[in-house]
Amino acid sequence: MSEIKVQNFIDGKFVGTEKYLDSFDPSTGEVWAKIPDSGQTDVDTAVKVAKSAFEKWASTPVAERSKIMMKIADLLESRLDEFAELESRDQGKPVWLAKSVDIPRAVYNLRFFATCALHDLNRSSHMQAVDAFNYTMKMPVGVAGLISPWNLPLYLLTFKLAPAMITGNTVVAKPSEMTSVTAWKLAEVFNHAGLPAGVVNFVFGTGPNAGDAIVKHPDVPVVSFTGGTVTAVKLRIAAAPYSKKLSLELGGKNPGIIFDDADLEKCIPTTIRSSFMNQGEICLCTSRLYVQRGIYQTFLDRFVAEAKKLVVGDPKSPDTFTGALISKEHLAKVKGYVTIARQEGATILCGEEPLNLPERNKTGYFMRPTVISDVGDSSRLVTEEIFGPVVCVLPFDTVQEVIERANAVKYGLAATVWSTNVNTLHTVSQKLHAGTVWANCWMVRDLNMPFGGMKESGTGRESAKDSIEFFTEEKTICVKLN
Ligand code: NAD
């Protein structure tokens, strides 16, 4: 495949910029695409266009907006293979994973919001004593700035795009500079589906240039961001003078708690997935496993044996479970934690065996699923988000103890609990500081239920209904009847 040249998508047209960035194929380390290195001028143009498209889109009946979004979903679905291959090439994940999770979930996001907003109702009340009738009306906020990360590129972008569009906002979006290709292709789908020009605009580039310009733009009153906790601090500061609506979905350090009575036949395969799926590069991945003392050694032996079986290699191969990590720098960062483990005298149970890669992948950013034990609770391995295929396994004795240890980090995104005792499941789940607790499962997601982090994992508790509220302003109209 020859090198792809991504262009910004503004006012329904593809437009170039002065400077371009290299985008690497993580599975080979080769440059495979050029990405616009957009800055203030490109963002200003996109915001201006989005602002002038706003009034018409906001007054387009929701049923009409819904029809266009359903068409986008259908067209995207009809190009599943193509999008899955591009997503895999861009991010390093196995093609089968992009095909079974990322792209279908992007289609689902579009369909879900396109239909759920059709059933959204306004509120009303009649104040008998004064004979006054109150009712509410929801209005879109304006130009929405959407900033998304690289780990689930199209899935997370559409999780913002869909509620923003269906509620009548226009959009300036900036996907991660490391994974911009599928968003650029989605713009093609927008045009085929008949989305009016200017409703969605993509400005590609880096966070400090394009992202910051969106966040600080006075004509962007609402910003939805998914990414790292450190970046979010910068966004909070940048947005502060403008009183913007801000949604932040951030990092995690998710505990998995496995009790003596857990059904290991179910727990081990799911925990392998929750630890290592997408190379461990999912904000919801489990990265510290607390295992009750009675089954600690049995669990560890079986878990390590399964981790060793996972095939690391060419994302195109259907046998590959672990593809390439996103970048050379990120691989070095993740491996840095293994070095810390060694320096601290922890035991590296697997992950350092030589890789057996096809020739073309030898320059890619691969590492084996890595399991580490004998780590202290205060180690950086246990407190910091690693965001790679590295999991620490720690023994525990009592319920109270494990709850305290699981809660002793600054993050609070997700957790898993494994037990066959329903009391244990509820008691522990209720006491964990985590936005989502999965009991005897992982990543089972109902978009009607609130999603998001506690503590430094984010601000939003976004069910589909909450997302619709986030992208709208609700006003009350009070009419005195007599
Ligand atoms: P990141 O914070 O580096 O970047 C996220 C996005 O923000 C990118 O588009 C980036 O270009 C942009 N950005 C960077 N600096 C910016 C700035 N100063 N102003 C405006 N935009 C800026 O995160 P990442 O490395 O792309 O993604 C990984 C992180 O995202 C992890 O911490 C992961 O846990 C988190 N994440 C969270 C969720 C969730 O739902 N909570 C989902 C996926 C990923």
Side-chain angles (χ1 to χ4, degrees):
M1 197 192 284
S2 60
E3 202 175 84
I4 282 175
K5 190 164 185 188
V6 170
Q7 293 195 301
N8 285 337
F9 180 68
I10 299 176
D11 206 12
K13 296 180 218 48
F14 292 97
V15 290
T17 41
E18 274 174 35
K19 288 187 284 174
Y20 283 80
L21 302 162
D22 289 336
S23 187
F24 296 87
D25 174 342
S27 74
T28 61
E30 286 162 8
V31 174
W32 84 291
K34 294 278 183 191
I35 306 297
D37 185 6
S38 307
Q40 188 71 50
T41 317
D42 308 279
V43 169
D44 285 348
T45 311
V47 173
K48 201 167 163 208
V49 161
K51 202 176 169 192
S52 56
F54 175 70
E55 209 174 305
K56 186 142 182 250
W57 182 245
S59 56
T60 300
V62 65
E64 188 57 34
R65 296 199 291 256
S66 173
K67 232 188 251 173
I68 296 172
M69 285 176 59
M70 293 297 270
K71 184 100 190 277
I72 294 169
D74 290 348
L75 290 173
L76 177 58
E77 193 171 48
S78 72
R79 293 169 64 175
L80 173 70
D81 289 352
E82 177 196 352
F83 271 84
E85 274 161 33
L86 291 172
E87 187 102 326
S88 159
R89 190 93 195 269
D90 224 7
Q91 196 238 314
K93 61 164 42 93
V95 173
W96 65 261
L97 185 60
K99 214 162 167 173
S100 58
V101 177
D102 294 57
I103 311 305
R105 285 304 295 250
V107 171
Y108 183 74
N109 285 340
L110 288 158
R111 288 197 180 130
F112 190 96
F113 283 100
T115 48
C116 99
L118 294 174
H119 310 288
D120 195 37
L121 295 176
N122 290 319
R123 296 186 274 178
S124 68
S125 102
H126 180 224
M127 300 166 77
Q128 267 187 323
V130 286
D131 206 9
F133 178 66
N134 290 273
Y135 66 98
T136 61
M137 275 191 74
K138 286 183 193 156
M139 308 163 72
V141 186
V143 177
L146 312 181
I147 299 178
S148 50
W150 49 260
N151 64 320
L152 299 162
L154 210 59
Y155 178 167
L156 292 172
L157 176 66
T158 51
F159 191 51
K160 297 182 185 303
L161 261 180
M165 290 165 75
I166 192 65
T167 44
N169 299 275
T170 53
V171 167
V172 175
K174 193 208 81 65
S176 169
E177 59 275 33
M178 286 186 271
T179 53
S180 296
V181 173
T182 42
W184 168 67
K185 275 278 157 193
L186 184 66
E188 214 173 86
V189 175
F190 290 159
N191 282 346
H192 291 157
L195 183 72
V199 170
V200 177
N201 306 276
F202 289 135
V203 178
F204 300 102
T206 66
N209 290 336
D212 187 62
I214 294 172
V215 175
K216 287 185 180 150
H217 204 294
D219 289 333
V220 178
V222 52
V223 173
S224 176
F225 167 84
T226 299
T229 296
V230 173
T231 314
V233 173
K234 294 183 194 157
L235 257 84
R236 278 193 170 101
I237 294 168
Y242 304 94
S243 303
K244 296 185 187 233
K245 281 185 110 173
L246 199 55
S247 163
L248 305 169
E249 297 287 0
L250 312 177
K253 184 72 191 174
N254 311 310
I257 301 177
I258 300 161
F259 284 91
D260 280 345
D261 64 356
D263 178 346
L264 291 188
E265 296 308 314
K266 291 183 180 148
C267 168
I268 288 176
T270 304
T271 306
I272 284 282
R273 281 196 314 118
S274 77
S275 305
F276 303 122
M277 199 162 103
N278 204 39
Q279 304 73 243
E281 296 169 325
I282 303 181
C283 56
L284 303 166
C285 274
T286 316
S287 62
R288 44 193 179 119
L289 289 173
Y290 297 93
V291 184
Q292 205 164 16
R293 191 91 51 188
I295 57 158
Y296 179 73
Q297 200 54 50
T298 310
F299 174 88
L300 203 56
D301 294 344
R302 288 178 60 178
F303 187 73
V304 169
E306 291 305 314
K308 280 182 176 169
K309 283 186 205 160
L310 299 174
V311 177
V312 181
D314 188 352
K316 289 197 190 77
S317 163
D319 299 329
T320 293
F321 183 84
T322 307
L325 275 70
I326 185 68
S327 66
K328 201 198 271 182
E329 295 74 19
H330 190 60
L331 177 67
K333 181 185 153 198
V334 175
K335 284 191 166 172
Y337 282 96
V338 184
T339 306
I340 293 173
R342 202 175 301 106
Q343 286 162 352
E344 290 180 353
T347 308
I348 300 158
L349 293 155
C350 67
E352 297 203 302
E353 304 80 4
L355 289 160
N356 181 18
L357 296 167
E359 200 50 43
R360 66 183 288 275
N361 297 120
K362 290 205 163 130
T363 43
Y365 316 134
F366 294 89
M367 80 179 273
R368 285 192 180 280
T370 302
V371 183
I372 298 172
S373 67
D374 304 313
V375 197
D377 279 4
S378 60
S379 166
R380 288 176 58 197
L381 281 108
V382 178
T383 58
E384 295 181 7
E385 183 182 47
I386 299 175
F387 217 54
V390 177
V391 69
C392 296
V393 188
L394 306 106
F396 76 91
D397 293 296
T398 69
V399 170
Q400 189 53 34
E401 170 211 332
V402 78
I403 291 168
E404 280 169 22
R405 290 171 66 195
N407 286 341
V409 297
K410 66 179 185 177
Y411 295 105
L413 189 56
T416 56
V417 184
W418 289 89
S419 168
T420 46
N421 181 327
V422 76
N423 274 338
T424 308
L425 292 180
H426 284 288
T427 314
V428 175
S429 301
Q430 288 173 18
K431 289 192 173 152
L432 288 174
H433 301 162
T436 302
V437 181
W438 280 293
N440 291 343
C441 60
W442 178 67
M443 275 273 265
V444 180
R445 179 101 197 274
D446 178 348
L447 293 188
N448 289 301
M449 301 307 285
F451 172 80
M454 293 181 174
K455 302 198 280 189
E456 292 191 31
S457 288
T459 56
R461 306 290 314 133
E462 292 185 7
S463 62
K465 196 165 169 290
D466 299 325
S467 296
I468 284 175
E469 275 168 23
F470 176 72
F471 286 109
T472 51
E473 314 246 46
E474 190 179 29
K475 71 171 159 196
T476 301
I477 298 171
C478 177
V479 181
K480 177 93 173 68
L481 297 176
N482 290 299

